[in-house]
């Protein structure tokens, strides 16, 4: 017979004050009041109830946030196989087993070792099993059970934002939606009222209200005006436990701004404005500014100004400054103090964006009166016309008046005016003007053919204040007079063939006239009286301002007469009649049978000779080669060295010789012979200068021989003086360089140059007393003395 073992789970309910921090009646609904035993047998699981209650006995319930000092008791596991002899061992596994939950392996008591928080983990799933302590084999199948954490009110409501910002239009109706705030509670919303949040307003009444369940904030006061108050700060509280006593709460701040609507019309701060403006004010210049105040802002405060009526409606205009919302009054037409000195305007200011909802508040515009006083200024004279056009004939005499300009002082004083011509516009001084009455007259003859229009400027200035002046242009047209005779349109030079026939046309003539003819020119052509009868040619007037030259005879001989000069008289039909005599040159040429010219006696005019392009290039190349040759020759001559004036080294003059090597010191006695300077007797008398040819031979002057050991400076000065007074001295400067140490040396001069021409003996024993630096010099001169003695 098969035996079924049963695994009993026994639960003991602890006393309320041992498990909860709050009264048990609020937290223990659903807890069994009697023991519950879970019996497991074979593959089936049966719940045996000792009381008729619908409990699920595989669940434990445990309160969160336990604050006791001992471990929190959860429940007890028990198997019917447990005889109490310690042969069974209870094992716990699953969520938190061994760490968060521990079990007494002998008794099956389960305890929580740590403080639990439902908001972190609300349910723990564990598995329990009873095993044989000796064999380790389970005596019951593994059973799974759940530990649920019961909630307590340990979390206050939290708003989704710390600060809310909202805005509504001013003048809104009561109940206008502003914003909705939301608070959440981390407690269990399915158990009790721990997560039931209720909203209330702590600050912001009576302007706003909040719905307790939804958190919607609405307006509670009618016609809130932004101009009175723009910012509101509302504090909202969210409280759990349905708002009951003992519930936890949280708060948030809602900043509410009233936005502007156009509920205020513009208003002028004063009813009348006064401005003063000089009559010389330029057009479009500002006269003044006016401003209507509007309590609204942005586009609701935009104002448009206009002039609605007044006697200066067409004299002034007004525009709006978009930045300052000011009305700028400007001048539209020129002002004249003498005509009108006071203007009264009515200016209106109106909003450009009107809200129809607030039309009941009145018209959104206002008007004011503007008085503009025109001040008198000293104005320049004003001409009767903006420009003058005058006409004058070109043959008028000098000082003839051609017209008059008139200017007047517009001021009430009517100051006298003087006139003058701007000479920058009449540089030739062709015209002048009477400074008193403004009459313009000629000062030089006029010629229409030279200049048709004269454009001058006349200046009118006040006599008392010449700075007040004005200008006017005067356009003078010179009218034509028939003062020019007609002339040929071009220079006529034609030819006639030797074999020409009589009455043959050889040239057609035309004429021009510089004068202007309104009806067109009409010219007449005729031969001059002196050529009319004896000419070999005839002239025929075509009556169309042209004429033709015809041959009178059959043949012409160029050897007899090579050129004919035919005088032609040209006349016009204007008054007075002008005429001129022009000459036509006719050459006699050889022609072929068709009348084509072959040659004339002046062939150079018909077949001009010239050089070809190749010949011109050749000539140009020759010129370039010649110039290059001259330049090279000049350069070679510059580079050629000149022969030195002094060739012989025996010349007695001192020569400056430059060497790029170092001298030999005291032992070098060949570089310069100072004996010549000290002993003039050594000069060869027969040697003359080789660079010039002397005209007169002078006997060289003998100078005294310098004594031994003479100071170099003394005998140089002596030689210089002698050469200055010597008539035979060369007429040029000679440069001589001497190494002179001077008298300041303790050892005096160490030079041995003077010993070349001196026979006296010197004692050099003192050199041995000067120390080791002069030992070599002492040995050298000491040996010389020894040689002399020997």
């Amino acid at each position: 017979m098969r035996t079924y073992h049963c695994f009993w789970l026994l639960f003991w309910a602890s006393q309320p004050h041992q498990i909860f921090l709050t009264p048990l009646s609020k937290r223990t609904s659903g807890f069994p009041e009697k023991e519950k035993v879970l019996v497991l047998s074979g593959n089936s699981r049966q719940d045996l109830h000792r009381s008729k209650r619908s409990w699920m006995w595989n669940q434990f319930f445990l309160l969160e946030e336990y604050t006791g000092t001992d471990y929190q008791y959860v429940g007890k596991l028990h198997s019917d196989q447990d005889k109490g002899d310690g042969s069974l061992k209870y094992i716990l596994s699953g969520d938190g087993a061994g760490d968060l939950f521990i079990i007494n392996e002998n008794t099956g008591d389960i305890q929580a070792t740590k403080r639990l928080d439902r908001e972190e983990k609300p349910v723990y799933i564990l598995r329990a099993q009873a095993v044989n302590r000796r064999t380790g084999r389970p005596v019951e199948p593994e059973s799974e059970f759940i530990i649920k954490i019961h909630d307590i009110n340990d979390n206050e409501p939290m708003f989704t934002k710390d600060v809310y910002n909202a805005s509504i239009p001013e003048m809104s109706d009561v109940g206008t939606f502003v914003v909705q705030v939301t608070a959440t509670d981390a407690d269990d919303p399915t158990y009790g009222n721990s997560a039931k949040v209720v909203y209330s307003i702590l600050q912001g009444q009576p302007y706003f209200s909040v719905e307790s369940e939804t958190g919607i904030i609405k307006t509670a006061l009618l016609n809130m005006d932004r101009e009175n108050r723009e910012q509101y700060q509302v504090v909202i509280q969210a409280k759990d436990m349905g708002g009951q006593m003992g519930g936890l709460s949280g708060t948030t701040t809602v900043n509410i701004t009233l936005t502007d609507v156009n509920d205020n019309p513009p208003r002028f701060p004063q009813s009348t404005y006064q401005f003063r403006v000089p009559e010389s004010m330029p057009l479009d210049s500002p006269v003044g500014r006016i401003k209507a105040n509007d309590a609204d802002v942005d586009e609701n405060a935009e104002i448009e100004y206009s002039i609605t009526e007044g006697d200066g409606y067409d004299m002034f205009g007004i525009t709006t400054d978009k930045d300052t919302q000011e009305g700028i009054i400007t001048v539209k037409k020129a002002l004249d103090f003498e005509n009108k000195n006071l203007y009264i305007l009515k200016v209106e200011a109106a909003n450009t964006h009107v809200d129809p909802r607030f039309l009941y508040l009145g018209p959104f515009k206002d008007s004011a009166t503007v008085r503009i006083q025109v001040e008198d200024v000293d104005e320049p004279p004003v001409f009767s016309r903006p420009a003058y056009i005058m006409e004058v004939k070109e043959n008028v005499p000098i000082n003839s008046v051609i017209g008059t300009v008139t200017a007047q002082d517009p001021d009430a004083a009517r100051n006298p005016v003087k006139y003058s011509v701007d000479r920058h516009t009449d540089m030739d001084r062709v015209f002048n003007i009477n400074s008193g009455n403004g009459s313009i007259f000629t000062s030089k003859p006029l010629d229409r053919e030279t200049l048709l229009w004269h454009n001058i400027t006349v200046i009118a200035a006040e006599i008392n204040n010449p700075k007040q002046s004005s200008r006017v242009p005067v356009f003078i047209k010179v009218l034509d007079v028939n003062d020019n005779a007609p002339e040929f349109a071009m220079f006529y030079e034609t030819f006639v063939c030797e074999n020409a026939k009589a009455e043959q046309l050889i040239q057609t003539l035309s004429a021009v006239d510089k004068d202007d003819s309104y009806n067109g020119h009409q010219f007449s052509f005729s031969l001059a009286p002196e050529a009319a009868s004896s000419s070999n040619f005839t002239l025929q007037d075509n009556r169309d301002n042209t004429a033709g030259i015809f041959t009178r005879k059959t043949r012409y001989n160029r050897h007899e007469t090579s050129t004919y000069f035919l005088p032609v008289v040209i006349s016009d039909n204007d008054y007075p009649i002008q005429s001129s005599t022009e000459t036509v040159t006719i050459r006699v040429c050889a022609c072929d049978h068709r009348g084509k010219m072959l040659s004339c006696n002046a062939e150079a005019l018909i077949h001009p000779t010239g050089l070809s392009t190749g010949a011109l290039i050749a000539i140009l190349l020759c010129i370039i080669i010649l110039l290059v040759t001259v330049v090279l020759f000049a350069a070679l001559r510059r580079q050629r060295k000149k022969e030195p004036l002094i060739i012989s080294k025996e010349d007695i003059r001192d020569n400056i010789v430059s060497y790029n090597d170092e001298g030999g010191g005291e032992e070098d006695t060949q570089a310069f012979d100072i004996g010549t300077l000290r002993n003039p007797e050594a000069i060869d008398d027969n040697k003359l200068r080789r660079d010039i040819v002397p005209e007169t031979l002078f006997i060289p002057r003998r100078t005294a021989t310098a004594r031994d050991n003479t100071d170099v400076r003394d005998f140089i000065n002596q030689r210089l003086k002698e050469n200055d007074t010597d008539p035979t001295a060369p007429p040029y400067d000679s440069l001589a360089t001497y190494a002179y140490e001077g008298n300041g040396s303790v050892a005096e001069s160490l030079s041995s140059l003077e010993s070349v021409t001196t026979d006296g003996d010197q004692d050099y024993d003192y050199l041995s007393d000067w120390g080791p630096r002069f030992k070599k010099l002492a040995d050298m001169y000491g040996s010389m003395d020894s040689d002399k003695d020997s």
Side-chain angles (χ1 to χ4, degrees):
M1 183 176 178
R2 184 174 180 179
T3 304
Y4 295 93
H5 302 281
C6 296
F7 177 52
W8 297 82
L9 296 177
L10 302 180
F11 304 98
W12 284 269
S14 302
Q15 295 296 327
H17 65 275
Q18 295 178 350
I19 299 177
F20 306 106
L21 298 176
T22 57
L24 183 60
S25 59
K26 298 182 181 180
R27 299 296 176 180
T28 58
S29 61
F31 271 82
E33 298 178 359
K34 297 183 178 180
E35 295 181 351
K36 176 183 177 183
V37 180
L38 179 62
V39 179
L40 299 178
S41 177
N43 296 329
S44 64
R45 185 187 320 183
Q46 297 179 355
D47 290 336
L48 301 180
H49 300 273
R50 296 183 180 181
S51 60
K52 294 181 179 180
R53 293 176 182 259
S54 58
W55 298 111
M56 293 182 61
W57 291 104
N58 60 344
Q59 292 186 2
F60 287 91
F61 293 89
L62 189 64
L63 291 178
E64 64 173 338
E65 305 295 342
Y66 174 70
T67 58
T69 57
D70 298 332
Y71 289 163
Q72 187 178 6
Y73 185 76
V74 177
K76 183 180 181 65
L77 297 179
H78 184 71
S79 175
D80 58 356
Q81 299 294 325
D82 188 1
K83 305 301 184 182
D85 56 359
S87 62
L88 294 183
K89 181 175 68 173
Y90 296 96
I91 299 175
L92 187 65
S93 62
D95 295 339
D99 179 21
L100 187 58
F101 300 101
I102 60 174
I103 188 172
N104 189 321
E105 62 181 15
N106 296 322
T107 62
D109 294 328
I110 302 173
Q111 292 179 312
T113 62
K114 295 181 180 180
R115 185 176 178 179
L116 302 178
D117 189 356
R118 190 201 66 84
E119 285 71 34
E120 293 182 1
K121 189 175 179 64
V123 176
Y124 295 88
I125 300 175
L126 295 97
R127 292 178 298 278
Q129 193 174 34
V131 298
N132 189 290
R133 186 184 297 274
R134 182 174 57 83
T135 61
R137 293 184 177 182
V139 298
E140 299 285 352
E142 187 178 55
S143 178
E144 181 179 277
F145 64 97
I146 298 174
I147 300 178
K148 286 188 176 182
I149 308 301
H150 262 242
D151 184 44
I152 64 173
N153 189 17
D154 60 341
N155 291 279
E156 69 275 6
M158 299 292 292
F159 283 93
T160 56
K161 295 181 181 178
D162 294 334
V163 177
Y164 289 82
N165 293 302
S167 61
I168 58 169
E170 62 174 333
M171 310 297 291
S172 297
D173 296 332
V174 176
T176 301
F177 174 84
V178 179
V179 69
Q180 183 176 12
V181 296
T182 303
T184 59
D185 195 319
D187 293 327
D188 188 2
T190 62
Y191 181 72
N193 294 326
S194 298
K196 186 177 181 180
V197 178
V198 174
Y199 301 94
S200 61
I201 185 168
L202 300 183
Q203 176 182 323
Q205 295 174 334
Y207 307 104
F208 301 95
S209 63
V210 62
E211 293 183 357
S212 61
E213 295 182 358
T214 62
I216 295 176
I217 301 175
K218 298 179 180 181
T219 57
L221 189 63
L222 184 65
N223 294 335
M224 286 189 291
D225 193 359
R226 184 200 65 84
E227 287 71 33
N228 294 331
R229 182 176 178 182
E230 183 177 5
Q231 298 287 339
Y232 294 86
Q233 190 176 73
V234 179
V235 178
I236 301 297
Q237 174 184 268
K239 189 174 183 180
D240 60 11
M241 296 295 294
Q244 297 178 7
M245 185 76 67
L248 302 179
S249 64
T251 61
T252 187
T253 301
V254 182
N255 295 322
I256 302 175
T257 303
L258 296 184
T259 59
D260 185 56
V261 298
N262 193 5
D263 59 338
N264 293 280
R267 290 289 180 264
F268 282 105
Q270 58 192 69
S271 60
T272 303
Y273 294 85
Q274 292 188 359
F275 297 100
R276 292 181 177 271
V277 58
E279 61 176 336
S280 60
M281 177 74 72
L283 299 182
D284 297 327
S285 298
V287 175
R289 290 172 174 254
I290 60 176
K291 184 177 182 180
N293 298 325
D294 193 327
D296 298 321
V297 294
D298 298 332
E299 67 174 13
N300 296 320
E302 292 182 0
I303 301 174
E304 184 177 358
Y305 296 88
S306 61
I307 299 176
T308 57
E309 58 183 67
D311 52 2
Y313 181 82
D314 59 341
M315 299 295 295
F316 300 92
I318 188 168
T319 58
T320 303
D321 188 337
K322 299 301 182 181
D323 296 330
T324 62
Q325 295 300 316
E326 292 178 319
I328 305 174
I329 302 175
T330 57
V331 178
K332 290 175 58 178
K333 292 185 179 181
L335 303 175
D336 189 357
F337 173 82
E338 288 71 26
N339 292 334
K340 189 175 181 61
N341 57 15
L342 178 62
Y343 294 91
I344 299 176
L345 309 175
K346 184 177 181 181
V347 178
E348 184 179 85
N351 282 136
T352 56
H353 300 85
V354 178
D355 194 337
R357 296 176 300 171
F358 304 103
L359 290 177
Y360 68 91
L361 296 177
F364 282 78
K365 58 184 177 180
D366 194 16
S367 61
T369 302
V370 179
R371 298 171 58 91
I372 301 177
Q373 182 73 42
V374 181
E375 297 179 342
D376 187 25
V377 296
D378 191 4
E379 298 177 277
V382 178
F383 284 94
S384 60
R385 301 179 188 175
Y388 292 86
I389 299 177
M390 301 178 182
E391 294 181 347
V392 59
K393 291 186 177 181
E394 60 178 332
N395 63 345
V396 296
I398 298 177
N399 296 327
S400 299
V401 176
I402 61 176
T404 302
V405 296
T406 304
Q408 188 177 10
D409 183 12
D411 298 325
R414 292 291 188 263
N415 294 321
V417 177
K418 65 177 181 179
Y419 303 92
S420 62
V421 177
D422 186 355
R423 291 306 173 187
H424 293 91
T425 61
D426 185 23
M427 302 293 292
D428 297 331
R429 296 180 176 269
V430 180
F431 302 96
N432 211 333
I433 191 171
N434 189 308
S435 62
N437 57 20
S439 60
I440 301 174
F441 55 89
T442 60
S443 58
K444 287 185 179 181
L446 302 176
D447 187 5
R448 188 201 70 85
E449 289 71 33
T450 302
L451 186 60
L452 177 61
W453 284 92
H454 294 268
N455 301 329
I456 65 174
T457 299
V458 175
I459 303 173
E462 294 182 7
I463 296 179
N464 299 333
N465 187 9
K467 293 183 179 180
Q468 294 295 335
S469 62
S470 57
R471 298 166 177 263
V472 67
V474 179
F475 306 102
I476 302 173
K477 182 179 181 181
V478 181
L479 301 179
D480 184 45
V481 175
N482 191 25
D483 58 346
N484 291 280
E487 56 187 13
F488 280 149
M490 57 179 294
F491 175 73
Y492 289 103
E493 183 177 6
T494 185
F495 71 94
V496 61
C497 295
E498 288 182 312
N499 56 356
K501 297 179 181 180
E503 301 299 327
Q504 181 178 346
L505 178 65
I506 62 174
Q507 183 66 49
T508 300
L509 306 177
S510 62
V512 293
D513 195 335
K514 295 180 180 179
D515 293 325
D516 189 14
S517 177
Y518 299 99
N519 298 323
H521 291 290
Q522 293 183 3
F523 302 124
S524 61
F525 298 86
S526 64
L527 292 177
E530 64 271 15
S533 59
S534 61
S535 175
N536 293 307
F537 303 92
T538 60
L539 182 67
Q540 180 181 343
D541 192 346
N542 299 326
R543 303 300 179 182
D544 60 354
N545 292 337
T546 63
I549 300 176
F550 295 87
T551 58
R552 175 175 287 184
K553 61 182 182 178
T554 302
R555 298 184 61 84
Y556 295 87
N557 191 344
R558 61 174 174 168
H559 299 290
E560 294 179 358
T561 303
S562 61
T563 304
Y564 293 94
F565 298 99
L566 185 65
V568 178
V569 178
I570 310 172
S571 303
D572 57 21
N573 64 341
D574 292 334
Y575 180 81
I577 296 176
Q578 300 288 339
S579 63
S580 65
T581 301
E582 301 288 333
T583 301
V584 179
T585 302
I586 304 174
R587 298 183 182 277
V588 181
C589 301
C591 303
D592 57 11
H593 65 282
R594 291 177 295 182
K596 184 178 180 180
M597 181 181 59
L598 297 178
S599 64
C600 295
N601 57 343
E603 295 186 14
L605 298 176
I606 302 175
H607 301 289
T609 60
L611 297 177
S612 63
T613 304
L616 292 176
I617 294 175
I619 293 174
L620 183 61
L621 290 176
C622 292
I623 293 174
I624 293 175
I625 293 173
L626 182 61
L627 290 176
V628 172
T629 304
V630 171
V631 172
L632 292 176
F633 181 73
L636 291 175
R637 291 199 61 182
R638 288 185 179 181
Q639 293 180 358
R640 185 180 300 171
K641 295 182 180 180
K642 297 182 180 180
E643 182 181 357
L645 295 177
I646 302 174
I647 300 176
S648 176
K649 294 182 180 179
E650 297 178 358
D651 199 299
I652 62 174
R653 292 175 302 156
D654 296 334
N655 299 322
I656 300 176
V657 183
S658 176
Y659 300 96
N660 291 327
D661 56 352
E662 188 176 357
E666 295 291 343
E667 297 180 358
D668 186 3
T669 59
Q670 304 299 324
F672 186 81
D673 185 8
I674 200 173
T676 306
L677 182 64
R678 284 179 171 269
N679 186 15
E681 299 294 339
I683 301 176
D684 190 355
D685 296 339
N686 298 325
K687 292 183 179 180
L688 301 177
R689 292 182 57 182
R690 302 179 62 181
D691 56 341
I692 59 173
V693 178
E695 297 179 358
T696 305
L697 296 177
F698 292 92
I699 301 175
R701 298 178 59 186
R702 299 293 180 178
T703 56
T705 304
R707 65 180 181 275
D708 296 340
N709 296 329
T710 302
D711 190 273
V712 176
R713 182 174 56 186
D714 295 337
F715 72 75
I716 287 177
N717 292 332
Q718 179 182 355
R719 294 294 184 264
L720 179 60
K721 183 177 180 182
E722 291 174 355
N723 280 275
D724 289 341
T725 57
D726 187 3
T728 63
Y732 50 82
D733 295 334
S734 297
L735 179 63
T737 304
Y738 302 96
Y740 173 65
E741 187 175 358
N743 294 328
S745 175
V746 179
E748 297 181 355
S749 178
L750 301 180
S751 176
S752 61
L753 296 178
E754 62 182 6
S755 62
V756 177
T757 56
T758 305
D759 296 335
D761 296 333
Q762 296 186 22
D763 185 9
Y764 297 101
D765 293 339
Y766 61 88
L767 295 176
S768 301
D769 300 331
W770 286 1
R773 293 185 179 181
F774 295 89
K775 183 176 183 302
K776 183 176 181 181
L777 188 61
D779 294 341
M780 181 178 64
Y781 280 88
S783 60
M784 292 176 59
D785 294 339
S786 302
D787 294 338
K788 289 181 180 181
D789 295 338
S790 61

